[in-house]
Amino acid sequence: MGKQEPRRVGRPNTGSREKLLDAASALMIERGSIDIPVADIADGAGLNPQLIRYYFGGKQGLLVALLHRVATKALADLNALVLSDLPPVRKLEMHLAGIVSTYFRYPYTNRLLHSLLLDQDATAAGEVTRFFVEPLVEAQADLLRMAAEAGCIRRVDPMLFYFSVIGACDFLFSSRHTLVKVFGVRDIDDELRRRYARHMVDLVMSGLRLDDQMDRAA
Amino acid sequence: MGKQEPRRVGRPNTGSREKLLDAASALMIERGSIDIPVADIADGAGLNPQLIRYYFGGKQGLLVALLHRVATKALADLNALVLSDLPPVRKLEMHLAGIVSTYFRYPYTNRLLHSLLLDQDATAAGEVTRFFVEPLVEAQADLLRMAAEAGCIRRVDPMLFYFSVIGACDFLFSSRHTLVKVFGVRDIDDELRRRYARHMVDLVMSGLRLDDQMDRAA
C-alpha cells in the first residue's frame, strides 16, 4: 500500500491518521497484547513510521488517540441512551450489554486504559481520566439514579457499581488465555458475546432489585 | 539483616525462602506493580540475590512460588468451605467475601496470574493453571451446584460465573489509580474492603435468586 501511495509520507492526510489507528487496533487484537512496536504499526498501515510522530507526537500519543476513538464511540452510544425515552431499567440493561460489546470489539480497551493511567506521564493519565473514565462514571451514576428514582431498583453506590460491573464485563475478554487453557474455548464468537451480555444483564438487574421485592420473594 | 547473618548465603534455610517471598509480596504491594527487580527483592529480604536462583531457579520461579503461596491459602479456605456443614447460600456468600479478602491482602494476585499465563514459558502457564485456576473453577462449580440442588439459587453457567465474579472482585484492587484519580480514594482500608464484599454479596446473591422468586416479586 505504501508503495502505491508514496506521496502520503510527504503529504499526510486524515486517511493516514485513521489507517495508523486501524493498524494498531488490528495488531493489538491479533496479538492479544498492547505492546506493538511502532514499526509494525506503520507496516500494518503501509505507511512511513515517521507519520506516527507527525500525527501523534510519538507512540504514547497514538495509544491515547486509539483509546480516545474507542471512548468517543462508546460514550456517544451511552449518552444517547441516557437521554433516550426508554424505561430506566431498559437503559441499564442496554448499557450493560453495550459494555460487553465494546470489550468484544476492542478487547484491548481496559489494558490500554490502565497502562495509560499508570504511565509516568501524568498528562496522558489526566487526559484519559477526563475523556473516558469520568464521563463513563457520570453517565452510569445518572442511569442508576433515574432507575432508583423511578422505583425500579434499589439505591447502589455508583463507585462500587463501576468497579464491579466494569471489572466483570471486561474479565472474559482480558483473560482469553484462561478461556483457552481452562475452558477449552479458543475464540469469543458472537454467540458467546451474547451469552455473556445476557448473563451480566440477568445477574446485575436481578441483583439491583428493590429490597421489598426481595422480601416479598423470600 | 544480611550483614548480621552472613552464613545464610552459604547455608540457605527455609526461613530465607519465605523471606524472599515476603519481600517480593511487600514490594509488589508498595509499588503497585509486579515488575520488581531481583536485586530489590534480595535487598528487601536482606539476603544475597543468588539465593533467588538457588531456591526458585530464577525470577520466574519466584513469581510462580509467590502465586502458589497465595493460592494454597485461598484454596485451603475455599475447600474447607465446600466441605463444611454451612447452608449452601452461606457458603457462596463466604466465598465471595473470601475472594475480595484475597485481593485486598494480595492485590497483585490477578496481575501475577495473567502475566504467568501469558508467559512464553508454557511450563509456568501450565503450573498456575493446575494449582490455581482449575481448582478454583472446580470449587466454584461445586458451590453453585450445591446451592442450585438445594433449590436456593437458579442454575448458572460456572464459566460465565467465574469470569464475572473474579473480574468484579478483582477490579477495585487492580485499578487503584482510578480509585485515586476519579474517586479521590487514596487507600483501600478495611472499611472499603468490607463495603465492597457486602456489595458483591448483595449483587451476586440477589442476582442468582430463582426465576420463580423473581416472578413472584415482579
Side-chain angles (χ1 to χ4, degrees), chain B residues 84-113:
Chain B
S84 76
D85 290 331
L86 291 167
V89 163
R90 185 76 194 117
K91 289 186 188 188
L92 267 173
E93 289 175 353
M94 287 183 67
H95 169 50
L96 292 167
I99 305 171
V100 172
S101 286
T102 298
Y103 293 143
F104 175 67
R105 261 183 289 175
Y106 316 108
Y108 51 81
T109 302
N110 259 10
R111 252 168 304 154
L112 198 52
L113 178 64

Side-chain angles (χ1 to χ4, degrees), chain A residues 157 164 195 199 209 214, chain B residues 157 164 195 199 209 214:
Chain A
D157 183 328
S164 53
R195 268 172 62 210
H199 168 77
R209 268 170 307 165
M214 287 169 62
Chain B
D157 182 329
S164 53
R195 269 172 62 209
H199 168 78
R209 268 170 306 166
M214 287 169 63

Side-chain angles (χ1 to χ4, degrees), chain B residues 32-110:
Chain B
S33 165
I34 59 168
D35 271 326
I36 312 289
V38 285
D40 294 6
I41 296 172
D43 256 14
L47 293 168
N48 189 311
Q50 289 174 13
L51 284 181
I52 291 175
R53 180 157 297 278
Y54 176 87
Y55 283 118
F56 308 106
K59 186 178 175 184
Q60 204 200 36
L62 179 142
L63 298 180
V64 172
L66 181 58
L67 191 63
H68 189 264
R69 202 169 69 164
V70 174
T72 303
K73 169 87 181 73
L75 292 171
D77 291 351
L78 179 54
N79 289 327
L81 196 59
V82 171
L83 298 173
S84 76
D85 290 331
L86 291 167
V89 163
R90 185 76 194 117
K91 289 186 188 188
L92 267 173
E93 289 175 353
M94 287 183 67
H95 169 50
L96 292 167
I99 305 171
V100 172
S101 286
T102 298
Y103 293 143
F104 175 67
R105 261 183 289 175
Y106 316 108
Y108 51 81
T109 302
N110 259 10

Side-chain angles (χ1 to χ4, degrees), chain A residues 32 103 110-111 113-115 117-119 125-126 129 133-134 137 154 156-179 181-183 185 192 195-196 199-200 202-204 206-210 213-218, chain B residues 32 103 110-111 113-115 117-119 125-126 129 133-134 137 154 156-179 181-183 185 192 195-196 199-200 202-204 206-210 213-218:
Chain A
Y103 293 143
N110 259 10
R111 251 170 305 154
L113 177 63
H114 291 142
S115 148
L117 283 173
L118 277 174
D119 204 279
T129 299
V133 189
E134 284 175 354
V137 167
R154 62 183 167 85
V156 60
D157 183 328
M159 182 180 92
L160 304 185
F161 184 84
Y162 169 83
F163 285 109
S164 53
V165 161
I166 297 292
C169 289
D170 172 63
F171 201 58
L172 178 73
F173 303 98
S174 62
S175 311
R176 294 201 174 202
H177 38 285
T178 301
L179 204 55
K181 292 194 176 95
V182 179
F183 298 99
V185 176
L192 179 52
R195 268 172 62 210
Y196 201 57
H199 168 77
M200 283 306 304
D202 285 351
L203 195 70
V204 173
S206 310
L208 291 180
R209 268 170 307 165
L210 286 165
Q213 291 173 342
M214 287 169 62
D215 292 343
R216 267 183 282 146
Chain B
Y103 293 143
N110 259 10
R111 252 168 304 154
L113 178 64
H114 292 142
S115 147
L117 283 173
L118 278 173
D119 204 279
T129 299
V133 189
E134 284 175 354
V137 167
R154 60 184 168 84
V156 61
D157 182 329
M159 182 181 91
L160 305 185
F161 184 84
Y162 169 82
F163 285 109
S164 53
V165 161
I166 296 293
C169 290
D170 171 63
F171 200 57
L172 178 74
F173 303 98
S174 62
S175 311
R176 295 202 172 200
H177 38 286
T178 301
L179 204 55
K181 290 194 175 95
V182 179
F183 298 99
V185 176
L192 179 53
R195 269 172 62 209
Y196 202 58
H199 168 78
M200 284 306 305
D202 285 349
L203 195 71
V204 173
S206 308
L208 291 180
R209 268 170 306 166
L210 286 165
Q213 291 173 340
M214 287 169 63
D215 292 342
R216 268 181 281 145

Side-chain angles (χ1 to χ4, degrees), chain A residues 16-28 34-45 47-70 108 112 116 121 124 127-128 131:
Chain A
S16 302
R17 189 180 185 280
E18 292 305 304
K19 269 186 192 168
L20 289 166
L21 294 178
D22 289 344
S25 177
L27 286 165
M28 285 180 187
I34 60 168
D35 271 326
I36 312 289
V38 286
D40 294 5
I41 296 172
D43 256 15
L47 293 168
N48 190 311
Q50 289 175 14
L51 284 180
I52 291 174
R53 182 158 295 280
Y54 176 86
Y55 284 118
F56 308 106
K59 186 179 176 183
Q60 203 201 36
L62 179 141
L63 298 179
V64 172
L66 181 58
L67 191 64
H68 188 264
R69 201 169 70 162
V70 174
Y108 52 79
L112 198 51
L116 292 168
D121 176 0
E127 268 183 81
V128 303
F131 75 63

